[in-house]
Amino acid sequence: MNNPNNIVEMVGITKSFPGVVALEDVDFSLRKGEIHALVGENGAGKSTLIKILTGVEQPDRGTIALDGKFVHVRSPQHSQELGISTVYQEVNLCTNISVAENIMLGREPHRFGSIHWKKMNEMAQHAIDRLNIDVDVTKPLGNYSIAIQQMVAIARALEVLSAKVLILDEPTSSLDIQETNLLFDVMRRLKSEGIGIIFITHFLDQVYQIADRITVLRNGKLVGSYEASALPRFELVAKMLGRSLVELDAMAKEKSQEEGGENKQPLVEAKALGLTGTLKPVDLQINASEVLGIAGLLGSGRTEMVSLIYGVTTPDTGSLVVDGKEVTKFSPLESLKRGVALCPEDRKAEGVVGDLTVRENIILALQARYGWFKFISPQKQNEIANKYIQMLGIVTPSPEQLVKNLSGGNQQKVILARWLATNPKVLILDEPTRGIDVGAKTEIQKLVIQLAEEGKSCMFISSELDEVMRVSDRIAVLRDRSKVAEYANDVDEKTLIQAMAGEV
Amino acid sequence: MIERIKTFVARYGALLLTLVIFLSVYFAGGQLYPAMRKPQVFFNLFINDSSLLLVSIGMTMVILSGGGGIDLSVGGMIALVSTASAALLRAGVSPFIVLPLMIVMGVALGALMGWIIQSLKVQPFIATLMGLFFTRGMAYIISLTSVTITNDVYRTFALTPIHIPFISKAYIYPTTLVGPIMLIVAIYLSFFTRFGRTIYAMGNNEQSAMLMGLPVARTKILVYAFSGLCSALAGIVFSMSLLAGYGQFATGMELDAIASVVIGGTSLSGGVGNVIGTLFGVLIHGTIVSILQFNGTLSSWWTRIGVGVLTLIAIGIQSIFSVKTKRS
């Protein structure tokens, strides 16, 4: 124990799973009163490291010391008893019972054999006050936003479990800016109380906004731990990727030069397409071998427009022509038959089927297109699955792995593979890179550019402007449920943001 | 102020709605048949539906616990308890042995079903359907025909009226009190014990409740044991009021119980509702039965139709409520 300030000291942690070395000789330390960001690509070993610290997994080698004492963390319960608590992106609390119950249940005060509600509410209020947020603890948890719910989870961790180490696993993914700032205030407050916080996130802005130190992992190995102030952002990205972004930028430039003289023919042409109350009439054209980027804030009508083009909803004005034919029947199945495929935004709810294997997930759309009674031989299925696993670089031990066991980026690739297997002419990607790490994002972006080069039309929707600008040939901007502008890909970010915000 | 009203409606809206439905059905009955205005008619609701109230209380707790929780065995349990106790009494066993024995049997069978559901991951619907087949089957194995009870203790419980103070000519029977007592027990359990709050928590999200360190497995087994206790008590009350035991008793009562629970504002998906609403659900059922009795010419099947329509109305209005509160 070289540093008495360290609450957590992990040394030489090694863990292998069948076929993969998830962590190799990784050291990690957390000081008292420190916010320590843990960053890395998918598969870098962040979650394995956290699982070992919280007792979900046992390390093959290596030691863990808490407050200078060696410990063997047997189970998640045991880690909680040791003072290590985790708050996840999805809040693991119950929305139907009161905030106070969510904080206190399991250690609630009793009087005369029944729960002492008054005292319980007081204790809960005290725990909430410690975080300096405004919450009525007697109200059901479901009345509050996800951000507040996360803070209630933190309050529970501190109050019931008297945590000394707090692990925040992607806590900001579903929060807006104000909520994120609220969470950061709480984090700073806890830091000043001497609590050590491990902060896992994909948002590099936030890393620099709040973290004192940064530990970078890559492919199961420790790249290094750095003081945040001493590590420029560009270097951090380079360390995470193990390569530079120059490669991708070069590719994008090459692409835009190539296209100059191509003869463009529209594959999808929407004229005054709209649905009352949902989307104002929109004119839109997507050509072959082209990526059309869609920029717009949440609620600007992005998803609504896509739903119309894909036939989830039926428009009441305008017309839609796909591949030279006027669309009359609006349904996803018909779209599929026309060669239009959609990768939906929420991959957990609408996309992958976690309990099916990679192969089954990839075959799914193809089977739907063939009709349910047409048999695709197992051999053929394997052939198709293997082809796309290779083509998209899906990291999975075998095509028979259950999709829920894959990382987020790889799940996204499985969905992409599913639609590619139907050989669509038009591919609509709604937030394809959400919630996946920088490396996987880059790969998906490359993939989209490649697909366009092969003659497919892509519609690329993303909240991240630099991504839209990097990938797209043209960019359409939506605001207040209508299309407000369209630019070529040489537009600058400022113009785009002004169009999205309505300041043009 | 508006905020307060909103909170109040969100919290008690479903309960108020059930209360309103009960009062309107009851007053409609009073308007149609002036004889229904007698106080005794109100007390008859408790006398006639005491078994339904008991099984509905157990059913509410099971449904609240979520995870598709349901107990289809309640009617069968009544049949088994009534037949078994009648047969034992006929064989000369003391009622002071029979009564505790029946309660132990009910709790044990309930706990067994809970264990099967929790440990073997069998759907509650299937596990308790098996429970229904088993209990009703066992009742017929004990006796194919109705067994009369002549025991003095049972007769005393069944036939001694307790006069209600301050209201002339109004009475109930000792057995009528079991339901309201269990209701108070259930209210206490739901709102003032960790057991009850765990039921609500796991009804909302079992995974979260488990991660919060609440004893989910134990609670699930206990909640079915509690329902078993309620059905056993219902069986005892049933056999006392009819002074008989028969395999055909309480056929389909599980469905009436589920309907009462739902009319009472408890959501089948778990975590929402309470036993007080269930009381009114049961009273609504009883009132419809009374109206049909006073009419005298209508088929008793109109009860089911009436309950069905009211259930639909109640659920319809509740889902409008919940959509509105979600939006706000």
Side-chain angles (χ1 to χ4, degrees):
Chain A
M1 300 307 97
N2 42 16
N3 190 340
N5 264 333
N6 287 351
I7 340 185
V8 177
E9 181 99 52
M10 301 173 84
V11 179
I13 302 288
T14 302
K15 172 78 187 173
S16 11
F17 295 108
V20 208
V21 181
L23 282 178
E24 204 179 330
D25 202 21
V26 170
D27 299 344
F28 177 80
S29 67
L30 178 71
R31 296 180 192 142
K32 281 189 184 110
E34 168 186 62
I35 297 174
H36 195 139
L38 190 57
V39 297
E41 293 187 45
N42 285 333
K46 286 173 304 191
S47 44
T48 312
L49 188 68
I50 294 306
K51 279 180 181 164
I52 286 171
L53 181 57
T54 53
V56 179
E57 303 280 357
Q58 301 300 322
D60 300 339
R61 276 201 310 279
T63 59
I64 304 172
L66 279 177
D67 275 335
K69 282 182 225 101
F70 286 108
V71 289
H72 168 67
V73 188
R74 292 186 302 270
S75 66
Q77 279 75 23
H78 186 214
S79 85
Q80 292 188 350
E81 283 159 24
L82 292 168
I84 303 169
S85 274
T86 313
V87 173
Y88 300 92
Q89 178 188 347
E90 288 98 11
V91 184
N92 288 305
L93 294 175
C94 300
T95 49
N96 63 332
I97 55 179
S98 73
V99 173
E101 287 180 85
N102 270 298
I103 296 174
M104 300 303 303
L105 221 53
R107 204 169 278 192
E108 72 281 3
H110 284 85
R111 188 178 58 174
F112 311 130
S114 70
I115 293 174
H116 193 339
W117 280 90
K118 198 170 157 229
K119 194 167 171 206
M120 181 164 91
N121 289 340
E122 279 168 15
M123 289 167 78
Q125 193 67 56
H126 181 75
I128 285 289
D129 289 345
R130 184 173 167 194
L131 305 182
N132 200 23
I133 49 174
D134 183 25
V135 169
D136 179 354
V137 297
T138 61
K139 286 200 173 151
L141 182 72
N143 285 13
Y144 292 100
S145 65
I146 299 287
I148 297 287
Q149 293 187 17
Q150 272 175 347
M151 283 179 232
V152 172
I154 293 174
R156 178 178 174 85
L158 298 173
E159 184 63 32
V160 177
L161 310 162
S162 28
K164 289 172 288 186
V165 177
L166 202 57
I167 301 166
L168 301 176
D169 192 354
E170 298 274 358
T172 55
S173 294
S174 43
L175 306 188
D176 65 27
I177 292 174
Q178 280 169 354
E179 292 173 328
T180 303
N181 286 335
L182 196 62
L183 178 69
F184 284 178
D185 284 344
V186 168
M187 283 166 71
R188 289 195 190 97
R189 217 179 158 79
L190 295 175
K191 173 180 144 177
S192 69
E193 289 181 23
I195 287 167
I197 298 174
I198 301 174
F199 179 49
I200 303 170
T201 186
H202 290 312
F203 300 113
L204 299 186
D205 286 347
Q206 297 180 354
V207 169
Y208 281 101
Q209 209 177 327
I210 190 115
D212 302 308
R213 282 199 299 164
I214 304 171
T215 289
V216 183
L217 296 179
R218 189 176 72 232
N219 294 333
K221 293 191 187 104
L222 177 72
V223 177
S225 292
Y226 311 90
E227 295 293 330
S229 51
L231 182 70
R233 193 179 168 134
F234 181 77
E235 264 177 56
L236 172 62
V237 175
K239 283 183 197 303
M240 287 167 70
L241 295 179
R243 59 177 182 261
S244 67
L245 287 169
V246 176
E247 194 188 344
L248 187 73
D249 284 339
M251 192 166 175
K253 280 200 187 88
E254 198 180 310
K255 174 186 63 117
S256 52
Q257 281 164 5
E258 234 172 61
E259 261 160 28
E262 249 177 67
N263 187 18
K264 291 176 183 171
Q265 34 166 229
L267 256 180
V268 176
E269 201 170 10
K271 278 189 184 134
L273 190 72
L275 176 61
T276 315
T278 305
L279 187 73
K280 290 170 195 157
V282 162
D283 291 318
L284 202 72
Q285 195 176 323
I286 313 175
N287 300 326
S289 307
E290 184 186 54
V291 181
L292 175 70
I294 306 288
L297 299 169
L298 214 66
S300 60
R302 298 180 316 199
T303 307
E304 290 78 359
M305 185 172 79
V306 167
S307 300
L308 278 178
I309 294 177
Y310 189 56
V312 179
T313 46
T314 307
D316 56 9
T317 62
S319 67
L320 180 67
V321 176
V322 174
D323 206 9
K325 288 188 212 82
E326 165 106 33
V327 176
T328 48
K329 274 194 265 179
F330 283 87
S331 88
L333 190 59
E334 292 298 322
S335 299
L336 215 52
K337 287 182 181 158
R338 284 193 288 274
V340 180
L342 167 72
C343 288
E345 183 178 359
D346 187 346
R347 68 169 173 270
K348 280 224 176 79
E350 298 166 19
V352 295
V353 186
D355 286 317
L356 292 184
T357 65
V358 173
R359 173 181 55 80
E360 287 165 323
N361 266 288
I362 292 177
I363 296 298
L364 214 54
L366 196 62
Q367 182 77 69
R369 191 181 174 184
Y370 278 7
W372 292 107
F373 300 106
K374 212 161 186 178
F375 182 68
I376 305 175
S377 74
Q379 220 181 341
K380 176 97 176 153
Q381 291 192 13
N382 271 325
E383 205 177 286
I384 295 170
N386 282 324
K387 177 178 150 196
Y388 287 103
I389 288 171
Q390 215 167 35
M391 181 173 143
L392 306 184
I394 299 172
V395 182
T396 170
S398 91
E400 301 309 315
Q401 177 71 269
L402 295 185
V403 165
K404 66 179 174 195
N405 297 338
L406 301 187
S407 67
N410 281 309
Q411 290 188 4
Q412 193 63 51
K413 286 184 192 168
V414 170
I415 301 190
L416 210 54
R418 175 193 298 168
W419 299 117
L420 290 177
T422 66
N423 196 20
K425 297 186 194 99
V426 182
L427 191 61
I428 305 171
L429 303 158
D430 195 355
E431 295 277 9
T433 62
R434 176 188 255 185
I436 61 179
D437 65 68
V438 180
K441 268 181 190 170
T442 313
E443 278 182 51
I444 300 251
Q445 291 162 12
K446 272 189 199 168
L447 215 63
V448 171
I449 295 172
Q450 264 173 25
L451 289 170
E453 276 169 9
E454 285 165 18
K456 298 192 190 314
S457 309
C458 293
M459 217 164 136
F460 189 89
I461 302 170
S462 172
S463 310
E464 289 174 44
L465 269 191
D466 55 339
E467 185 175 87
V468 175
M469 290 165 66
R470 193 175 301 148
V471 172
S472 312
D473 298 301
R474 283 183 299 132
I475 301 170
V477 180
L478 294 182
R479 169 163 47 86
D480 293 336
R481 302 183 181 279
S482 78
K483 184 177 146 187
V484 290
E486 192 173 312
Y487 301 100
N489 78 336
D490 52 2
V491 64
D492 63 305
E493 194 165 345
K494 202 178 158 202
T495 317
L496 268 182
I497 292 174
Q498 279 172 342
M500 283 163 68
E503 288 168 6
V504 181
Chain B
M1 187 62 198
I2 289 166
E3 181 60 30
R4 269 193 177 176
I5 292 170
K6 265 188 193 163
T7 320
F8 185 80
V9 168
R11 210 170 273 187
Y12 302 109
L15 187 60
L16 281 177
L17 178 70
T18 320
L19 187 63
V20 167
I21 291 180
F22 166 62
L23 290 177
S24 24
V25 173
Y26 197 83
F27 283 112
Q31 286 302 313
L32 286 171
Y33 309 104
M36 260 191 82
R37 293 178 205 158
K38 280 191 228 162
Q40 182 57 36
V41 175
F42 180 73
F43 293 106
N44 279 345
L45 296 180
F46 285 90
I47 297 174
N48 296 334
D49 271 338
S50 52
S51 296
L52 181 62
L53 177 59
L54 279 163
V55 297
S56 300
I57 290 167
M59 186 74 80
T60 310
M61 303 300 263
V62 168
I63 290 177
L64 278 175
S65 75
I70 202 123
D71 188 352
L72 298 178
S73 73
V74 296
M77 194 79 89
I78 289 179
L80 176 58
V81 165
S82 70
T83 322
S85 46
L88 285 170
L89 291 168
R90 188 173 59 181
V93 182
S94 155
F96 298 106
I97 294 171
V98 173
L99 291 176
L101 197 65
M102 291 301 113
I103 288 173
V104 169
M105 182 180 75
V107 171
L109 280 175
L112 178 66
M113 286 188 291
W115 180 81
I116 289 172
I117 290 161
Q118 174 59 35
S119 305
L120 308 181
K121 305 287 167 220
V122 176
Q123 289 280 326
F125 189 96
I126 301 298
T128 58
L129 185 64
M130 295 305 118
L132 171 63
F133 291 166
F134 175 78
T135 45
R136 219 171 259 291
M138 282 308 285
Y140 281 114
I141 285 174
I142 292 169
S143 168
L144 281 173
T145 54
S146 173
V147 185
T148 326
I149 296 174
T150 51
N151 184 280
D152 285 337
V153 178
Y154 267 59
R155 291 182 65 88
T156 315
F157 274 119
L159 303 173
T160 316
I162 304 173
H163 290 278
I164 307 282
F166 311 119
I167 303 172
S168 66
K169 283 190 269 175
Y171 60 90
I172 53 170
Y173 295 105
T175 50
T176 316
L177 291 170
V178 183
I181 290 170
M182 282 311 284
L183 184 70
I184 291 166
V185 170
I187 291 171
Y188 167 74
L189 286 177
S190 322
F191 298 113
F192 299 101
T193 64
R194 186 187 293 179
F195 170 66
R197 299 324 287 166
T198 303
I199 290 175
Y200 276 86
M202 64 195 267
N204 179 254
N205 189 334
E206 197 168 317
Q207 181 75 18
S208 293
M210 208 137 61
L211 288 170
M212 283 167 76
L214 299 173
V216 168
R218 191 175 70 207
T219 307
K220 188 166 266 184
I221 295 172
L222 281 177
V223 84
Y224 283 92
F226 179 77
S227 181
L229 168 70
C230 289
S231 332
L233 288 172
I236 291 167
V237 167
F238 210 99
S239 58
M240 278 184 179
S241 37
L242 293 183
L243 286 174
Y246 190 20
Q248 224 160 45
F249 279 174
T251 312
M253 193 185 272
E254 57 280 351
L255 303 179
D256 284 330
I258 294 167
S260 302
V261 172
V262 171
I263 293 183
T266 297
S267 154
L268 278 181
S269 51
V272 178
N274 58 58
V275 282
I276 304 166
T278 300
L279 168 69
F280 291 110
V282 171
L283 291 179
I284 288 169
H285 177 270
T287 310
I288 296 174
V289 173
S290 306
I291 291 176
L292 296 175
Q293 280 169 352
F294 277 97
N295 177 289
T297 57
L298 290 170
S299 154
S300 66
W301 281 99
W302 281 102
T303 314
R304 285 279 163 80
I305 295 173
V307 169
V309 170
L310 285 179
T311 311
L312 269 182
I313 292 174
I315 292 173
I317 297 178
Q318 276 161 25
S319 62
I320 292 170
F321 262 122
S322 70
V323 168
K324 274 200 178 148
T325 42
K326 254 178 214 161
R327 274 194 197 141
S328 67

